[in-house]
Amino acid sequence: MKILITGTAGFIGFHLAKKLLQRGDTVIGIDNINDYYSTKLKYARLAETGISQSAKQWHTPVKSDKYPNYTFVRMNLEDQTELNTLFATEKFDKVCNLAAQAGVRYSIENPHAYINSNVVGFINILEACRNNNIKYLVYASSSSVYGNSNKMPLSVNDSVDNPISLYAATKKSNELMAHTYSHLFKLPTTGLRFFTVYGPWGRPDMAPILFANAITNGEPIKVFNNGNLQRDFTYIDDIIEGVTRVLDSRKNKLADSPYSIHNIGNGNPEKLMYFIETIENAIGKKAKMQMLPMQPGDVYKTFADVTSLKRDFGYAPNTTLIDGIGEFIKWYKTYPKN
């Protein structure tokens, strides 16, 4: 099977590409390697899958020296002409769109980056899929679409009409756009609402690395809403197993319903203070904490109802927070920080 994965220099895209390559799929990966966070980490992820530093060049296919069935191209999803050429040339079977401008707080200061990447880029993906007979599109949505809902657990049947960040609004727009293309053109699409993914090779702007860095260096960690937050922390291996099951499934090809949305999370929210304690124990050092108020765009609690993903795809997350943080800290201690 030949699969296009967008965002393969990113956290989830890197892990998904590696999983599919190891089982023998042909993967074309694209990413613009922007500097929202350290590009050094992004290039290190690419290197882990055999993509050399020549990936810095734009619009140039780079073959992996580790996986003969992997090719990477640095490009923007906003580049409609180049994207269409890639689709016409490679003739993909399926597409997994994980590329996006990430970050809730960053969207407050840089709104145009989110519209360009998450909305313009996504319509280009939809059009390319429609015009090239793609069998199936799986794409990343986000738990942020639920806003500050008080109803728990968060279900795909709940209203998502009140996003509280532009990032969330762009993700809801992706779901609406995908629904339209599924309805009009019978393009099978599945959107996955990710819940707080963590693990080795994770984003440095996310809590695990921020906290691990601060604790290791004896610096205070920023604890928002005075620690009164809960998150459905989900280990990367469980996420990748779920995404792979969705990509492999044929259930979305039902003629009367080619569109679906699912939560993908652990289904077991943990208190932020317990999360911090788990990192402290794994590192062997206590954290200094700077208690701060709630940040604009943040939500108080996330808790995924993953019933439909379990029912339709056999999804079964089984990594405890202690085990997941343990694996993350093992990686963190060996990965060069500079």
Side-chain angles (χ1 to χ4, degrees):
M1 186 162 58
K2 180 180 275 192
I3 302 172
L4 170 67
I5 304 176
T6 72
T8 52
F11 176 32
I12 300 175
F14 154 73
H15 281 282
L16 179 62
K18 192 173 180 181
K19 170 74 178 271
L20 298 183
L21 290 165
Q22 287 174 342
R23 74 177 195 178
D25 289 316
T26 297
V27 173
I28 307 297
I30 64 176
D31 200 297
N32 66 2
I33 318 181
N34 69 29
D35 61 359
Y36 167 65
Y37 61 81
S38 169
T39 58
K40 180 179 178 180
L41 177 58
K42 296 181 179 183
Y43 284 116
R45 292 181 187 132
L46 291 172
E48 186 74 6
T49 50
I51 300 298
S52 70
Q53 286 291 306
S54 57
K56 290 182 179 180
Q57 299 180 28
W58 288 87
H59 322 300
T60 304
V62 179
K63 297 288 291 186
S64 169
D65 59 20
K66 186 180 291 187
Y67 299 103
N69 48 340
Y70 183 34
T71 302
F72 175 83
V73 184
R74 186 180 186 186
M75 61 180 290
N76 281 311
L77 293 186
E78 300 96 302
D79 190 333
Q80 184 178 4
T81 299
E82 185 175 13
L83 192 67
N84 288 340
T85 299
L86 183 72
F87 270 75
T89 301
E90 296 294 342
K91 302 186 186 310
F92 305 112
D93 296 305
K94 297 180 180 181
V95 174
C96 187
N97 183 58
L98 299 173
Q101 177 58 61
V104 170
R105 294 169 197 147
Y106 187 73
S107 68
I108 296 172
E109 303 297 330
N110 300 274
H112 291 95
Y114 290 78
I115 299 302
N116 290 336
S117 179
N118 301 3
V119 179
V120 176
F122 191 62
I123 193 62
N124 289 344
I125 286 287
L126 287 170
E127 275 289 281
C129 288
R130 174 172 79 97
N131 293 325
N132 290 276
N133 299 312
I134 298 302
K135 297 175 184 176
Y136 191 16
L137 168 64
V138 177
Y139 63 95
S141 185
S142 169
S143 62
S144 66
V145 300
Y146 291 108
N148 257 327
S149 174
N150 292 319
K151 178 182 173 296
M152 296 291 161
L154 298 166
S155 166
V156 291
N157 297 316
D158 296 342
S159 171
V160 289
D161 290 337
N162 298 289
I164 60 172
S165 71
L166 184 63
Y167 171 72
T170 64
K171 287 302 183 178
K172 179 181 177 180
S173 76
N174 287 173
E175 296 178 2
L176 295 172
M177 293 157 71
H179 182 277
T180 302
Y181 271 67
S182 292
H183 172 73
L184 292 176
F185 309 115
K186 303 305 179 187
L187 171 65
T189 66
T190 293
L192 295 173
R193 293 174 176 169
F194 290 101
F195 280 70
T196 317
V197 187
Y198 74 98
W201 298 97
R203 281 169 37 195
D205 62 315
M206 297 295 284
I209 290 185
L210 290 175
F211 289 177
N213 281 339
I215 293 170
T216 300
N217 297 325
E219 299 169 352
I221 63 174
K222 294 180 179 180
V223 182
F224 294 109
N225 199 41
N226 297 307
N228 296 317
L229 298 172
Q230 287 182 271
R231 292 290 182 267
D232 199 337
F233 297 104
T234 314
Y235 189 61
I236 185 63
D237 287 1
D238 291 332
I239 288 287
I240 296 306
E241 177 64 23
V243 175
T244 303
R245 285 175 176 268
V246 172
L247 268 173
D248 288 346
S249 176
R250 289 283 189 180
K251 292 182 179 180
N252 264 64
K253 293 187 72 71
L254 295 174
D256 60 340
S257 182
Y259 167 88
S260 66
I261 291 285
H262 300 275
N263 289 332
I264 182 165
N266 195 44
N268 182 33
E270 300 283 5
K271 293 181 179 179
L272 178 60
M273 298 307 291
Y274 176 66
F275 177 72
I276 294 170
E277 179 186 335
T278 305
I279 295 178
E280 289 175 327
N281 292 338
I283 293 176
K285 189 175 180 180
K286 283 291 184 181
K288 298 177 182 178
M289 302 185 199
Q290 179 184 5
M291 296 299 184
L292 295 169
M294 193 70 168
Q295 293 293 285
D298 274 357
V299 298
Y300 293 99
K301 181 178 180 179
T302 61
F303 178 4
D305 180 347
V306 292
T307 302
S308 65
L309 203 63
K310 289 181 176 181
R311 179 192 66 225
D312 294 347
F313 302 100
Y315 174 67
N318 56 18
T319 307
T320 66
L321 187 64
I322 291 175
D323 289 343
I325 289 296
E327 290 301 311
F328 164 72
I329 294 299
K330 284 181 187 177
W331 168 81
Y332 173 82
K333 287 181 176 179
T334 60
Y335 178 73
K337 309 303 184 297
N338 297 313

